[in-house]
């Protein structure tokens, strides 16, 4: 019998970093004071030319970031900001977009336009499993872990990918494709993006950047039927990474250089706007978010740079968690 989808744990999340951020109700702004007690860097550099997109943080104070340029995975010490490559990439044809770490030291990697799903072992730095999914149009964008499966989004095909997991998180030998239906509307541009679970753990939440100007969808993991979440007037046309902390959902709106924070009901069928976080000085098209302590960390993907070079600089910024 399949273990209950509701008994989940968040093995990884996405994050944002930045010094003094602006936090306020949607449509307004207010200044969020930085923590005077915090001595760790609120912002730290990544290697030049790295081209980050995804971030994940486990139980220890290390952030893991994937490279769209090379497929490398970089580990940064949150206490110092220093880091190194811990998984060597397979080259520019095998990028890493979203990624998540589990409780056993595995990294689940989204291969972007390569259509690949990879699993890496942090103890050895080696890729232990690799799958190719979807079609020639597929872009494997983001991943979320439940106790039973790793769930991956496809930005150009109306479907999710489910990699079943064993009792200790060991991945299966095949990936299951779950077509999306119901209220799901597929656009000609990037559509499915960030993914997480509802607060009660019974369903998945997926950003749809196209439907009705940018929506949040609640997806039944057994059937793939999607229903639009009522989030009032909030639109998510640039919705990227999702981070759920309790009933607060952080939606990174990358090209808006903002994070919209929504309060959801337990079932994830409704949400209301709590605040919008911006940081004009430090946000440079952040994409995903992960949390450690009272800080949310985000990589600046700099998608506004049309022709990034090996000398293009990248960094990670952080903001304080919303207490509401």
């Amino acid at each position: 019998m399949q273990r209950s989808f509701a008994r989940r744990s968040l093995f990884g999340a996405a994050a944002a970093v930045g010094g003094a951020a602006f936090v306020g109700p949607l449509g307004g702004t207010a200044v969020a004071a930085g923590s005077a007690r915090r001595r760790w860097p609120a912002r730290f550099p990544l290697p030049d030319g790295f081209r980050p997109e995804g971030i994940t943080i486990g139980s220890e104070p290390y952030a893991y970031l994937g490279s769209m340029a090379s497929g490398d995975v970089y580990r940064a010490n949150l206490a110092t900001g220093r880091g190194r490559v811990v998984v060597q990439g397979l080259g520019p044809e095998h990028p890493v977009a979203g990624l998540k770490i589990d409780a056993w030291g595995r990294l689940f990697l989204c291969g972007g336009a390569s259509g690949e799903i990879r699993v890496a072992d942090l103890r050895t730095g080696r890729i232990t499993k690799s799958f190719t999914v979807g079609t020639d149009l597929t872009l494997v964008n983001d991943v979320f872990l439940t106790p039973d499966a790793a769930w991956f989004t496809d930005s150009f095909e109306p479907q999710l990918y489910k990699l079943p997991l064993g009792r200790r998180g060991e991945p299966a030998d095949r990936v299951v494709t779950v077509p999306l239906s119901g209220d799901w509307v597929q656009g000609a541009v990037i559509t499915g993006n960030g993914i997480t679970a509802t607060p009660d753990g019974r369903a998945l939440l997926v950003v749809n950047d196209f439907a009705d100007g940018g929506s949040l969808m609640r997806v039944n993991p057994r059937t793939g039927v999607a229903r639009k979440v009522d989030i009032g007037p909030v639109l998510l046309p640039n919705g990227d990474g999702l981070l759920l902390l309790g009933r607060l959902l952080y939606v990174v709106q990358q090209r808006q250089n903002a994070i919209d924070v929504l309060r959801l009901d337990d079932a994830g069928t409704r949400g209301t706007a709590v605040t919008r976080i911006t940081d004009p000085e430090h946000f440079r098209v952040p994409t995903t978010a992960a949390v450690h302590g009272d800080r949310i960390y985000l990589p600046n993907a700099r998608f506004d740079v049309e022709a990034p070079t090996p000398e293009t600089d990248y960094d990670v910024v952080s903001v304080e968690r919303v207490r509401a």
Side-chain angles (χ1 to χ4, degrees), residues 203-310:
L204 297 166
L205 295 171
V206 181
V207 172
N208 185 311
D209 287 348
F210 175 77
D212 297 326
S215 304
L216 183 66
M217 297 285 178
R218 182 184 188 275
V219 178
N220 185 316
R222 292 173 295 279
T223 66
V225 174
R227 296 300 178 208
K228 184 179 176 182
V229 179
D230 180 3
I231 55 174
V234 179
L235 297 179
L236 307 174
N238 304 123
D240 200 323
L242 297 180
L243 173 62
L244 182 71
L245 300 177
R247 288 173 56 187
L248 290 184
L249 180 68
Y250 296 73
V251 184
V252 183
Q253 295 249 54
Q254 39 148 291
R255 289 186 181 270
Q256 296 182 37
N257 285 308
I259 308 168
D260 285 328
V261 184
L262 308 173
R263 180 181 288 106
L264 303 178
D265 63 5
D266 284 343
T269 60
R270 291 177 176 271
T272 56
V274 173
T275 192
R276 165 168 276 211
I277 303 171
T278 61
D279 187 344
E281 182 179 356
H282 296 120
F283 280 6
R284 299 188 294 172
V285 193
T287 44
T288 52
V291 66
H292 185 80
D294 63 352
R295 306 292 294 183
I296 295 175
Y297 294 83
L298 310 98
N300 276 318
R302 304 197 66 188
F303 287 158
D304 55 336
V305 178
E306 293 186 6
T309 71

